[in-house]
Amino acid sequence: MSLGLDKIEIPDFLKAGYKPKVLEPLSKREKQVLQEVVKGFTNPRIGLELNIAEKTVQNHMRTILRKLGVKNRTAAAVEYLKFYDKSDTT
């Protein structure tokens, strides 16, 4: 007597080695901004570090969140740490 377990499909996120797909690749500048977020820097500090306006940082963050499909900068930082090479500054 079969329980029908052989017909159950395992969702991708439960499979070993699963990595979510980034919705769109990040630009070089978006990666730089996200690297500063990972360091715990605020938008004003990121602006100073990258020599850009705070409003520009905000615009980059909005785009980063959309591209990664996340809702906040903490989730974006986690995605960066999980799926981007830390030495990658491109």
Side-chain angles (χ1 to χ4, degrees), residues 1 3 24 53-55 73:
M1 176 178 208
L3 298 176
E24 294 179 48
E54 182 181 352
K55 180 66 175 166
R73 65 195 294 129

Side-chain angles (χ1 to χ4, degrees), residues 13-79:
F13 70 90
L14 291 176
K15 294 177 182 174
Y18 170 76
K19 289 186 179 181
K21 295 180 177 111
V22 174
L23 301 179
E24 294 179 48
L26 299 179
S27 71
K28 179 179 178 179
R29 184 56 110 183
E30 291 162 352
K31 286 181 187 178
Q32 290 171 336
V33 168
L34 193 48
Q35 287 171 338
E36 301 303 309
V37 169
V38 168
K39 294 176 187 175
F41 291 172
T42 62
N43 287 355
R45 173 75 186 269
I46 293 169
L48 288 173
E49 293 291 323
L50 299 179
N51 198 30
I52 58 177
E54 182 181 352
K55 180 66 175 166
T56 303
V57 175
Q58 291 171 355
N59 291 338
H60 283 308
M61 282 307 305
R62 194 169 20 260
T63 302
I64 290 165
L65 297 178
R66 178 183 54 79
K67 285 183 174 183
L68 295 180
V70 296
K71 294 187 182 206
N72 58 56
R73 65 195 294 129
T74 302
V78 169
E79 291 300 305

